Amino acid sequence: NCDDLIRAVDEREQELIREIEKCSRRLKADIERKQIKYSPALASKLANLEDSKIKIDNELKSCDNIIYSGNSYDLLAWINSSSLSLDFNSAPISIRAPLQYEFHIHRPFYVEELFGKIRQLRVLLSHNNIKVTNSRKYDIYLENVVARKDCIWINKTGCFVSLKPKTGQEIDRKVCSVCPSSFVVTTSGEIIYTIPHEHNIYKTTQAMTVKLKHTYPYSPSGLCLAISGGFYVTLHKEKSDGKIVRYFNEDCKDWLELTCYRERKSLLKMPTKITENGNKDVWVIDAVSASVFAINSVGKFKFEFKGSEKNFEPVGICTDCRHNVLISDFRNKLIDILADDGQLLSSIKLERLGISRPMGLCITKDGELCVGQGNGWMHFIRFSQ
């Protein structure tokens, strides 16, 4: 909770400043009573205490300004750059004792000690800074929306269509026989898609459609491109555990099977949508457990996310350029934003933006979030900086 974190920061700020002021007053009183012999070194210690108080005041004011302005990326840069180190260990015992803190010049305390969990504010998304820039209605439910270069791809019955985000103008169209479960667009403009009931993965070009892989007895579902080449596909089978397969090239000859285990139990029952972030971690939605799992590139379990609210129903998933993961919660009408380490950064309530059935997600070239709805509406959301 952002408000609780801010209150905690304010309390720690006041506590530390009170202790510094208390030590400063005590030192001054001792000098005036001539109980401590005055020396340049002692004066320097006193001056350092006053300087430290000023630095803390200035840094916290800077943090407050960034937090309340809603500029999340400035806050991230501030946290990464602010490593204020105060060396209290070299102070006299009469100064160190009342502080009751362990500071060391080689271990910056400012973020770790003073702010605790302030790293959760790396993406502080104020609802006042979120707005829908464009909306458009189509005659299909938009479970799949894919951004590639400067266009958005969607799948209609019997074809894939690429559109200009701002105008909705059709740029290209590729034919497919049936409505796919999921699809990706390669850098060369070819489309790879899955047909679960046929147990097949296809690739379509401008000229033809070819079958890449027959996955029987497993049914293929979600797809995402791998950063280092090839693609991932999620597979599920009735009354059996699900799995993820990485194909290293488009001919599907070289592949690696990823099975996600925790305490010797498979976590994947019916994996659906999948994405890979910039850390090369794979994030997959499991429809049976209503969870999102993160695994590394060899299948080792890392995190599990079960939603920011009850009755979590994840449908769409994508990543942004900062390795954050965005998940659409269909039932709660939310988009949850997670950091690459699994921490919840923010939840966007969509009802006030006129979005009631969030499904497909992708990030456009201009940095806008494209949200496809089950009722055919496509919305473009911009986060004001």
Side-chain angles (χ1 to χ4, degrees):
N1 186 300
C2 293
D3 292 333
D4 292 340
L5 288 174
I6 293 171
R7 282 194 295 271
V9 168
D10 290 338
E11 290 173 0
R12 296 294 296 276
E13 170 198 1
Q14 296 301 323
E15 181 183 358
L16 186 57
I17 289 175
R18 283 195 300 269
E19 294 293 347
I20 291 176
E21 289 176 342
K22 181 179 177 181
C23 292
S24 179
R25 288 194 301 269
R26 181 179 301 176
L27 185 58
K28 287 179 180 179
D30 288 345
I31 291 173
E32 290 174 357
R33 291 195 302 267
K34 298 183 180 180
Q35 293 180 1
I36 297 178
K37 184 179 179 180
Y38 181 83
S39 69
L42 191 58
S44 176
K45 292 293 182 184
L46 182 59
N48 286 341
L49 281 173
E50 296 293 343
D51 290 343
S52 297
K53 177 180 177 298
I54 294 172
K55 286 180 181 179
I56 291 172
D57 281 336
N58 291 337
E59 288 290 340
L60 287 168
K61 286 177 182 177
S62 175
C63 177
D64 286 342
N65 290 336
I66 294 171
I67 288 174
Y68 290 115
S69 69
N71 195 327
S72 55
Y73 296 131
D74 278 356
L75 180 59
L76 175 58
W78 177 83
I79 291 174
N80 288 335
S81 63
S82 293
S83 57
L84 181 61
S85 301
L86 302 179
D87 183 14
F88 286 104
N89 287 331
S90 59
I93 295 178
S94 60
I95 298 177
R96 289 177 57 193
L99 286 173
Q100 297 178 352
Y101 290 106
E102 290 294 333
F103 296 124
H104 195 279
I105 193 169
H106 297 301
R107 183 175 65 86
F109 83 93
Y110 198 59
V111 174
E112 295 295 334
E113 298 293 336
L114 190 59
F115 287 92
K117 295 183 178 181
I118 198 172
R119 61 192 306 276
Q120 292 178 333
L121 298 177
R122 286 183 299 178
V123 179
L124 183 67
L125 299 175
S126 167
H127 290 308
N128 294 328
N129 292 329
I130 299 175
K131 63 179 181 179
V132 176
T133 60
N134 201 351
S135 298
R136 204 168 292 112
K137 181 73 166 64
Y138 297 94
D139 57 354
I140 57 169
Y141 70 97
L142 296 172
E143 184 181 358
N144 298 306
V145 289
V146 177
R148 174 57 62 185
K149 296 182 179 179
D150 57 349
C151 62
I152 299 292
W153 284 86
I154 62 174
N155 60 283
K156 294 187 174 182
T157 303
C159 66
F160 300 99
V161 179
S162 65
L163 309 163
K164 288 186 176 181
K166 293 184 178 179
T167 63
Q169 177 185 350
E170 184 175 321
I171 302 173
D172 194 7
R173 180 181 288 250
K174 289 183 171 63
V175 176
C176 65
S177 57
V178 292
C179 189
S181 172
S182 185
F183 72 93
V184 293
V185 184
T186 67
T187 54
S188 59
E190 298 174 334
I191 297 177
I192 300 173
Y193 62 95
T194 58
I195 305 296
H197 69 273
E198 295 181 4
H199 309 281
N200 287 331
I201 304 173
Y202 292 94
K203 179 174 74 172
T204 183
T205 65
Q206 202 69 40
M208 60 187 296
T209 298
V210 296
K211 184 195 298 182
L212 291 180
K213 190 72 176 179
H214 185 61
T215 61
Y216 184 84
Y218 285 88
S219 298
S221 182
L223 285 169
C224 78
L225 295 177
I227 293 175
S228 54
F231 61 93
Y232 291 94
V233 60
T234 59
L235 301 168
H236 60 86
K237 176 185 175 184
E238 188 176 358
K239 298 180 181 180
S240 180
D241 295 332
K243 60 183 179 179
I244 301 169
V245 174
R246 169 152 181 218
Y247 294 101
F248 292 92
N249 42 52
E250 293 180 11
D251 60 14
C252 297
K253 291 182 180 179
D254 299 322
W255 54 275
L256 173 68
E257 183 176 306
L258 306 179
T259 52
C260 184
Y261 286 92
R262 182 172 58 184
E263 298 177 355
R264 299 183 180 181
K265 293 183 180 180
S266 176
L267 295 174
L268 301 179
K269 300 302 179 183
M270 189 175 180
T272 56
K273 301 301 182 184
I274 185 172
T275 189
E276 183 187 31
N277 68 3
N279 295 334
K280 297 186 179 180
D281 291 332
V282 178
W283 297 70
V284 58
I285 295 173
D286 188 80
V288 172
S289 62
S291 298
V292 178
F293 298 104
I295 62 176
N296 65 14
S297 57
V298 295
K300 183 178 179 181
F301 170 75
K302 297 188 72 174
F303 317 111
E304 178 183 8
F305 178 68
K306 298 187 73 68
S308 60
E309 295 191 9
K310 295 180 180 179
N311 302 316
F312 183 49
E313 187 179 356
V315 177
I317 189 169
C318 73
T319 61
D320 65 15
C321 62
R322 299 177 184 273
H323 307 172
N324 298 322
V325 179
L326 295 84
I327 304 163
S328 60
D329 183 348
F330 185 85
R331 186 171 300 174
N332 293 310
K333 305 177 181 62
L334 296 173
I335 293 178
D336 292 324
I337 303 178
L338 276 65
D340 55 9
D341 60 359
Q343 287 201 30
L344 177 66
L345 299 175
S346 184
S347 294
I348 306 173
K349 295 182 179 180
L350 298 175
E351 272 192 303
R352 73 174 200 86
L353 299 174
I355 302 174
S356 59
R357 301 176 182 178
M359 298 186 75
L361 299 176
C362 67
I363 305 292
T364 70
K365 184 179 178 180
D366 296 331
E368 293 187 334
L369 174 61
C370 176
V371 182
Q373 284 205 86
N375 56 11
W377 279 97
M378 181 190 294
H379 304 276
F380 295 89
I381 299 175
R382 176 170 291 278
F383 306 99
S384 300
Q385 295 298 315

